[in-house]
């Protein structure tokens, strides 16, 4: 093992974007459906995918099983140990001590940020999903012309809670990024709120999505943006972050914008990070889906032109604790492969490689979110 | 040679999408123009391309010539042997025993599916190109308000012929995928047919292309869709399969959809295959154009997140028999390189690698098309 | 070192697209801001990027410093030597003897083509940026209905100057490529000119940008087109060269079109080069930004299907002389890695590899621009 990998193994990662795990013991169907961004399908097991292979290879040993354990045995052992022990093992193995947890997506009951942190022996912070705040405002009932103020107040309250360090938007899912970049007028927002309240359902009005993004600017906290792939609800080509360029120009010099996931647009994201001061990226979610075998290839593209202060680590783990471990492992393995290869070819000095390893695994996130590594004030 | 390559060499491939070869002896110009998706150009030989280099390297030995034989000598020997012998040699070398032949594109007189199968010592099935059916209906003459029924009846007749296992559409060429995804109304179809009949020419009306895709759903057979690159008639960005997402949502749970070629959108295709139950992909056509030297790189992207039940093999050979051999070789070499590399790095178990090799080379296609490996009933 | 690298090191490159260097000694801020396509940002040094690492690794030794010299010492030594000596060293090291210099972008006072050539011991030609010509016409004052003729006459005068071998357009920056491909009518141009003259500012009217591209066709010289990434002024997705396909069809058989930079759309550019006779590409700018460590990966994509007569070399160096050296080094190192790997795997014969090396490094450009290697007539 090279020096870069040793350093990366020793770095306590900051996972700047993740979710809780399902707070229930999982049967085969439930586990499999969490293993994929698709559905579980008749006759095709989600274990027969790069992520499934990676679980059997890299997660089985942590459950005292041999590498490449068959899915049945893996699931049986997982049940035997129980979800708390399983979670503890994977979170300890992740070598992560800071978690920024998006608490706004919970089709299932999930472990809390505090539970994640405790299982990992680390610290957690919270990320507020703005669509959730807006939808709560709508559900609570408000006149259309009061929507903008009420949403803003609710968002301010949400982010002022202790431990909140960022907001997140899933505009990519709701409208994609082909939005008018300008801040909508009060009249436009009221009119759009009227339409939304009459129609109901989730927030997907283009005016209100724009308004949400601009509200994020007003809040002043870093904004995490889903970009690139996800489940079938996304329209992939509309989630290309390059389509945000006009908005990034209008909001330049305000809040940090963190492009999440990005695949297959990691190069487009890298371009934005290279030309806009406050734009950052990660390849979270991607890393555990492609697995450690391919993480180096994806990271090589993500880092082609990205300034080394601009790449962050996230797992985007959701639902199963395995992804905290796999994401961290794929990141460490892929980045070490890339950096060590350049050191060996004398394209990069070892001290530079180690600095890049520490920056991307930890320091960049501490810097962007102004985190104290020992946790939020009230903890 | 590793165990994966040995297994892949032994797998009798199913080539789920190919064409016939030109049923005539070819002079240099004719051969060269079939070697490229462009035209043959003054002063630039299509042999001076990745595909041309691959032909001289990998096809020459099958004509009893040394590797890297110059183009002139290659063509002379090819003429000397005659097209039947050349075809026999390349088709035997392809190690393919099932061919699904698209019979709807024939600017030149082509060998029939039966001739392909006989030369290979295998079995052939037929794929019906729906644009061809629609254009026959138009040519035969029908009132606009009878177009929908007549087309549907003609398509049903075409697919009920023995040996037909799938339909194909080249919507990518005609309109691209930025189509209204909804099924058009009868009135819309009649109106569009009226416009088309008045204007003449090939089918490229957006309403009728949508109607064609929905007719495919009604037929119930797997639908092969050209996506990504091809000749200069394509508008590449409009052939990005991600643009089909709305239509894939509306038709979810109906027919299997097979995304052909895909390059350079293999990751977008992989995303669709990962989230939609009935979406599959291949990198046919791409493989022989990039050649065995680069097939591994393209397959690595195509398989980044693709479930292993979702990748199929096709050559998309057209015109020259060399492409049956080159496609098969590039697939075996590229996939073996990828899988063996993962086995060697202990990222994948050998039994898993062999299973993935057999699935992608053969079993996935047998499963999707419900093929009997010993041929159509009437053969 | 393999035979391919030796040949490439011996090939005197033709740099078919570059700029001058800033004709002043540069302080740290000025140097750093030229090192990146972004701005120099508080707390983030542009040296902490792939390009910065490459400068410290590959340029420091030419200033008599050790590899991986820290930025401070690099800049101190650079100042000590003075810009003329620095320029001389990097230009000599570039092994380039023909430069086609775009003289139309000069926010800073730049060295002239002649100065570049003299420092390199080579020859220079000039590339006329058409937007600059059009803007001079507007600045000089002309009636809207005389704009088309005046622009055309000015462009003709500009290209008839000795040493001019090509024109360039930055349409990618001004409107992107989603343009109506047709030649605009005189009435449309006059109307658009009227709007532009009233509004002022740079040329970014879609009608006038189209008109500019069609004027390039009339001029008859090769047209260089910025495509893909650049500074934050670009909208990356609109700079995808695939969006030019309709225009390439309408102008087929007229002038050579050279797609510059291309990243991350090098595959889209390769497709166009593979299907249109007169389309060529390079990955200039990209090469020094990704650095020699990653140049091979980018070139592998650029060459996946590109005919070997269609790839050219350019540095797209601007501002600092380091980029002439880095671009040339990354090209030689990346291409040698790719070609030698194929020779070693017996996928390519050595004579073919050497021919491809000479073509792409030199001969293709001489051919497209009909250059005499010993300079323009009046030199």
């Amino acid at each position: 093992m090279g020096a870069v990998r040793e350093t990366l193994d020793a770095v306590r990662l900051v996972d700047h974007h993740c979710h809780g795990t399902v707070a229930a013991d999982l049967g085969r169907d439930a586990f499999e459906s969490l293993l994929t961004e698709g559905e579980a399908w008749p006759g095709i097991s989600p274990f027969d995918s790069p992520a499934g292979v990676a679980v059997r290879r890299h997660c089985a040993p942590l459950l005292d099983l041999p590498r490449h354990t068959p899915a049945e045995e893996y699931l049986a052992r997982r049940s035997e140990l129980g979800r708390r022990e399983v979670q503890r093992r994977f979170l300890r193995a992740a070598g992560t001590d800071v978690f920024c947890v998006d608490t706004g997506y919970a089709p299932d009951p999930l472990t809390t940020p505090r539970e994640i942190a405790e299982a990992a022996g680390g610290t957690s912070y919270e990320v507020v999903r703005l669509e959730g705040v807006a939808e709560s405002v709508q559900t609570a009932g408000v006149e259309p012309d009061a929507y903008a103020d009420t949403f803003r107040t609710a968002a301010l309250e949400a982010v002022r809670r202790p431990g909140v360090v960022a907001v997140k938007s899933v505009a990519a899912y709701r409208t994609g990024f082909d939005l008018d970049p300008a801040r909508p007028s009060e009249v436009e927002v009221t009119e759009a709120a009227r339409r939304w309240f009459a129609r109901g359902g989730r927030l997907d009005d283009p005016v209100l999505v724009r308004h949400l993004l601009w509200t994020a600017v007003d809040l002043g906290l870093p904004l995490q943006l889903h970009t690139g792939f996800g489940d079938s609800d996304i329209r992939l080509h509309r989630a290309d972050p390059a389509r945000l360029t006009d908005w990034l120009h209008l909001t330049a010099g305000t809040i940090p914008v963190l492009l999440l996931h990005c695949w297959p647009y990691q190069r487009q994201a890298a371009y934005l990070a290279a030309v806009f001061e406050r734009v950052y990226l990660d390849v979270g979610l991607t890393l555990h889906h492609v697995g450690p075998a391919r993480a180096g290839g994806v990271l090589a593209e993500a880092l082609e032109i990205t300034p080394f202060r601009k790449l962050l680590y996230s797992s985007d783990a959701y639902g199963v604790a395995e992804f905290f471990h796999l994401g961290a492992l794929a990141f460490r393995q892929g980045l070490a492969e890339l950096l060590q290869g350049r050191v060996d070819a004398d394209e990069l000095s070892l001290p530079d490689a180690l600095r890049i390893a520490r920056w991307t695994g930890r320091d960049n996130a501490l810097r962007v979110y102004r985190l104290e590594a020992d946790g939020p004030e009230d903890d």
Side-chain angles (χ1 to χ4, degrees), chain A:
Chain A
M1 188 162 57
V4 179
R5 182 62 189 270
E6 277 171 35
T7 293
L8 267 164
D9 281 353
V11 167
R12 301 287 296 167
L13 298 177
V14 175
D15 185 345
H16 88 107
H17 179 78
C18 62
H19 303 261
T21 60
V22 173
D25 284 309
L26 300 168
R28 174 157 193 156
D29 288 354
F31 183 86
E32 287 195 333
S33 116
L34 289 165
L35 206 52
T36 165
E37 289 290 309
E39 307 292 318
W41 304 320
I44 299 184
S45 165
F47 273 102
D48 287 323
S49 68
V53 159
V55 165
R56 289 173 42 225
R57 162 64 183 83
H58 291 288
C59 297
L62 285 169
L63 306 188
D64 317 313
L65 297 168
R67 298 167 171 198
H68 313 296
T69 292
E72 290 293 348
E73 291 162 37
Y74 183 85
L75 291 166
R77 175 64 179 157
R78 200 181 194 280
S79 290
E80 187 177 73
L81 287 170
R83 71 173 181 91
R84 283 195 180 74
E85 176 60 14
V86 165
Q87 171 155 295
R88 197 190 61 77
R89 291 185 182 198
F90 289 124
L91 277 163
R92 296 275 160 174
T96 303
D97 68 6
V98 181
F99 299 85
C100 301
V101 186
D102 171 3
T103 52
Y105 178 67
D108 309 286
L110 299 179
T111 51
T112 63
R114 184 180 296 258
E115 287 170 309
I116 295 288
E118 280 169 7
T123 301
S124 62
Y125 295 88
E126 193 178 341
V127 177
V128 168
R129 191 184 284 226
L130 291 177
E131 282 80 5
V133 175
E135 286 158 2
S136 299
V137 166
Q138 184 236 18
T139 306
V142 64
E143 290 302 308
D145 61 2
Y147 168 76
D149 276 353
T150 314
F151 170 47
R152 183 197 178 85
T153 305
L156 270 171
E157 273 170 26
V159 303
R160 281 178 183 155
R161 282 179 295 137
V164 171
V165 293
V167 294
K168 181 186 175 188
S169 167
V170 291
Y173 273 104
R174 302 303 176 81
T175 54
F177 295 137
D178 284 325
L179 290 167
D180 178 348
R183 190 191 282 266
S185 71
E186 277 182 44
V187 172
E188 286 176 288
V189 173
T190 297
E191 198 43 52
R194 192 183 316 279
R195 288 195 303 269
W196 181 30
F197 296 172
R199 193 185 67 246
R202 67 184 194 171
L203 177 75
D204 58 9
D205 179 276
V207 171
L208 297 184
V209 169
R210 278 160 67 201
H211 177 255
L212 182 150
L213 294 175
W214 279 99
T215 301
V217 174
D218 297 339
L219 294 171
L221 287 185
L223 170 63
Q224 300 185 346
L225 282 177
H226 180 110
T227 72
F229 92 122
D231 66 35
S232 71
D233 193 25
I234 209 91
R235 299 303 179 270
L236 194 55
H237 55 299
R238 296 203 197 111
D240 174 353
R243 294 170 188 248
L244 277 168
T245 309
D246 287 326
W247 186 79
L248 292 171
H249 270 288
L250 291 181
T251 59
T254 64
I255 54 170
V257 174
L258 297 114
L259 308 173
L260 306 176
H261 326 324
C262 299
W263 185 96
Y265 304 113
Q266 55 273 14
R267 284 166 160 161
Q268 282 82 345
Y271 158 72
L272 296 171
V275 299
F276 286 101
E277 182 193 350
R278 314 215 71 188
V279 173
Y280 300 79
L281 74 147
D282 73 36
V283 284
L285 182 65
T286 313
L287 291 176
H288 62 255
H289 277 290
V290 307
R294 185 65 190 159
V298 171
L299 279 164
E301 291 181 21
L303 276 170
E304 258 165 6
I305 66 163
T306 300
F308 302 126
R309 276 296 194 188
K310 296 301 201 82
L311 184 78
L312 277 70
Y313 167 69
S314 86
S315 67
D316 197 31
Y318 175 87
V320 296
E322 277 83 348
F323 289 159
F324 286 101
H325 171 52
L326 268 189
L329 178 74
F331 177 76
R332 287 187 169 106
Q333 187 164 316
L335 190 62
E337 181 185 307
L338 185 158
L339 295 175
Q340 189 69 52
R342 293 187 188 178
V343 170
D344 294 346
D346 195 25
E347 287 290 334
L348 188 66
S349 73
L350 182 60
D352 283 331
L354 302 185
R355 196 160 49 104
I356 294 167
R358 283 187 296 260
W359 280 357
T360 53
R362 179 176 180 86
D363 295 351
N364 290 347
L366 294 179
R367 191 168 172 274
V368 175
Y369 295 100
R370 303 170 189 243
L371 299 181
E372 305 297 324
D374 53 355
E377 288 164 39
D378 72 323
D379 226 28

